[in-house]
Amino acid sequence: MIKMRVYVLLVGIVVLLATLIFTPNIDSFAEEDDTKDYVFFLHWVNETEASKDIQGYSVRNYFDTTQDFERVNHTVTSGTKWKEDWYLYPVLAGDFVVEEYTLGIWMYASGGQKSAQITLSIYEVTNASENPEGTLVASKNFGNVQLFTTPHFEIFSANMTPHTFPAGSSIRIEISLTPGTSTYITLLWDTPTADSRVILKGQPGMKIKDVTALDYNRSTRTGFLLTTSNKTVYFHAVLTDPFGGYDIKWVNLTLESPLGEIILDNVSMTRVGGTPISYMADYEISWNYSSYPPGRYNITVWAVDNNGYNYYTHFGYYKYGQYQDVYTTYITLGITYSVAFKAVDSKNLPLPRAEIVVKVSGTTVSSSITDDTGIVVLEMFGGDYDVYVIWQGCIVAHQHVHVSENVSRDNPITINCSVYYPIFRIVDSHDLPVSDAAAYITHPNSTTSAIPYKTNENGEFSLSRVPGGDYRIIVWWRGIEVADTSINVSANAVYTIDCTIYYIAFRATDTAGMGLSNAQLIAYNNLTGAVMAFSTTNESGAVTFRLPKGCFNVYVYWHDVLVGQITPLEVSKDNNITIRCSVYYLSVKCVDSKGRGIEGAFLRVYRGNEIIDGTVTPSNGTARFKLAEGNYTILIDYRTTYLLSKIKVKKEINVHIEGNCTKTIKIPSYPPPLYKTNAFILGMLIAILIAIIITLLIIRR
């Protein structure tokens, strides 16, 4: 008793392993490849059953696709060389091409070497009454196979040149066993536990060849009138199966209304033609369309064969794998009309490549794309519809339409669409245009332009043929975002976008508060260092920059010297800003040896070798210079005539400027002594000449 329980347990475990290992992986095959692994279970005719007739030849061992197992394993044991074979029953109803054959057999060995020489062969049987063995198609010797002492599932698989077994023939699988010395071999099959099987890899399998609809007179139709008194429809499906009609497990039909509602949900069809051994089988189901609306009704027929059923149940995959087929078609109820629609934009121009969608109660029943003239022609049943136009992913029109007649292309139903040609104008805080701004646009369909739109000299850019709706527009100017706004486009109009671009009026002054003319002002982006604005002050020291909202560094240069700065400068509105610069006043007084101011002396101011300024001293001898902080050289060049003597004096001094200051330049050699002047010499000569003349006159007397 204990041995029996252990035996049953071992058999159960091996069954599970064999099922997982040997069950074909149907889902690994591509759908378009019709080649599959077809599983046939081995059966045995017991003493109470009739033998199976194969072309007038009776057999007890056979294989088919059913799970008609016995309750007790059929076993065969032998200690000598012997052959065991099984026939495909019933014979093929259609041609079947085999490219690989496999025998999965439960077996075990006892005594001796517990091994056997095994050969597997496949035969084509076309006239079993005269040649029951048939014609050998392929054979493979597996050599000496070591076997288990308890029932195990052994697999013997062999490839072969693809061979077509014709309709009406049977396939015989033969295993030849030569046991080892003193070895007894036992084969088991025909129970759910000992589910020995033949696997034939080939094609074709079960197929749905055609699905048609017939009216109450059994006439094939695709369109059915609503005015007919008898509204019965027969849905008819024709299937083929090379293994015979018995291999078709289920044929079901699903019927869907024009609105997507399921009317018949995977309902079983009844077999009305064919036999368990015929190649073709007919299935049918009826339906009455009274009270159903006009439109297109979609039909789906689904069928599964015994292999799919076994795959789901016996092998426990809980799906049907590739052992199923689907066929789709449709019928129509009511009269259809040809209806032309024309989509036009806001300028009444045709809208090509727009999608026209027709719906009933929110469900799409038809759709198509307009041609280059903006026209599309749809086949529609009579009734009321909602027609939508989709352009660039947005609904740009919705119109209610009643269809009761044909509408030609020459006089189509015109649908005015919310498709516009907007112009966007970018302005600053003074409502003045901003040129060369970059605008990134997110359209109503949520797509964003990868390349920005650039504004022209009028601060404008335009879009052509875009759907109405909300547009998010982000504007950048000189590397800074100056606007992020949403604009609802609903007309062909100019839409103004106000930007955070402001006017900053600068006035550069010296330390005395006087305007600093010809000073260079530069504004840099505080983060990137980019130059945002550059200009030169006017005579009053003023200059105006247009700057975006942000943080900047502003520098003032005068005579190439940095004299002032604002770091940082926060810009958030129009503003007037005075920059007091490090520019000072230098007073230079030129005096003679007696401390009197010298008029007419030419003064030059140098920074290095560069002349900065120059002037001529006035009557008081004092000249005034405006200078930036730094080191300078003052050169005096004084040229005049004093008492008939030419005076030429050059002198220079070095000055460091860091504030207002006065420097006196004294010329000690001016004026020269009287006796050193030409006037004195001339006077002396004249005096001497007069003395000589007087002396001569006296002598002559």
Side-chain angles (χ1 to χ4, degrees), residues 380-426:
M380 302 173 64
F381 294 91
D384 294 311
Y385 298 91
D386 289 305
V387 180
Y388 298 84
V389 180
I390 299 176
W391 176 256
Q392 295 181 3
C394 299
I395 297 176
V396 294
H398 173 206
Q399 187 168 318
H400 297 287
V401 174
H402 177 75
V403 175
S404 59
E405 60 183 357
N406 292 323
V407 179
S408 69
R409 292 179 61 94
D410 296 332
N411 188 27
I413 297 174
T414 299
I415 303 178
N416 295 302
C417 302
S418 301
V419 176
Y420 304 107
Y421 300 76
I423 297 174
F424 298 94
R425 184 170 183 263
I426 311 299

Side-chain angles (χ1 to χ4, degrees), residues 608-621:
N609 294 323
E610 179 185 3
I611 186 169
I612 301 301
D613 202 356
T615 190
V616 177
T617 57
S619 59
N620 63 0

Side-chain angles (χ1 to χ4, degrees), residues 134-148:
T135 303
L136 178 66
V137 176
S139 182
K140 180 178 180 180
N141 183 280
F142 293 89
N144 190 53
V145 179
Q146 194 68 37
L147 302 174
F148 292 92

Side-chain angles (χ1 to χ4, degrees), residues 664-685:
T664 300
I665 301 177
K666 187 175 184 178
I667 303 176
S669 61
Y670 181 81
L674 179 62
Y675 63 88
K676 290 184 177 182
T677 64
N678 290 334
F680 177 79
I681 295 172
L682 180 61
M684 290 300 294
L685 291 175

